[in-house]
Amino acid sequence: MRTIPIPVDTHRLRFTCVKAARPRVVDQDTGKIKTDKDGNKVYESVLLAEDEFGRIELVKVGTSGEPPIAPGQDVVPTGMVGYVWEIPQNGTSRWGISYKAASIVPVSGKPGGGGDA
């Protein structure tokens, strides 16, 4: 399967950090951490994405380097793309979409989504 990055239009979505970023482990047995082509650790953040109709989805988004975000913060992923993947398993296939962003930054700059009171 050829992997072509699919751009994600994030302007119509609101993102909230649900779980702090942590390094992505590629081998559970050895604990090996995934790195990008420049040797930087890849971090994975769990974000809640909400559209204008109130539909929500949890997505894991990878970034090169640790993003400065905390659970509860409204965040903005920039340069977000999706990649379709497929893995043969026991005569069938599992597939999904993985997401990567150039960066994930807080909207307010304050932990916990803190707006001005």
Side-chain angles (χ1 to χ4, degrees):
M1 171 181 276
R2 197 169 127 188
T3 56
I4 299 171
I6 303 164
V8 177
D9 181 5
T10 59
H11 296 94
R12 293 184 162 209
L13 300 170
R14 176 180 174 206
F15 292 91
T16 303
C17 177
V18 175
K19 190 171 183 181
R22 59 185 204 181
R24 181 161 181 219
V25 177
V26 291
D27 186 335
Q28 297 295 329
D29 294 333
T30 64
K32 182 178 177 186
I33 304 296
K34 181 175 177 127
T35 56
D36 65 13
K37 63 183 176 189
D38 296 323
N40 300 311
K41 286 183 184 177
V42 173
Y43 283 78
E44 202 167 58
S45 303
V46 178
L47 306 180
L48 179 142
E50 182 178 5
D51 69 12
E52 59 195 53
F53 303 107
R55 295 179 294 213
I56 60 172
E57 193 77 35
L58 289 176
V59 292
K60 288 183 181 178
V61 181
T63 55
S64 292
E66 186 173 7
I69 61 174
Q73 276 185 313
D74 287 337
V75 298
V76 177
T78 59
M80 190 166 161
V81 295
Y83 293 91
V84 176
W85 56 266
E86 184 176 14
I87 300 172
Q89 185 177 33
N90 299 327
T92 62
S93 292
R94 288 183 41 214
W95 69 275
I97 301 173
S98 61
Y99 295 96
K100 184 173 182 181
S103 67
I104 303 173
V105 295
V107 170
S108 67
K110 297 179 184 177
D116 294 307

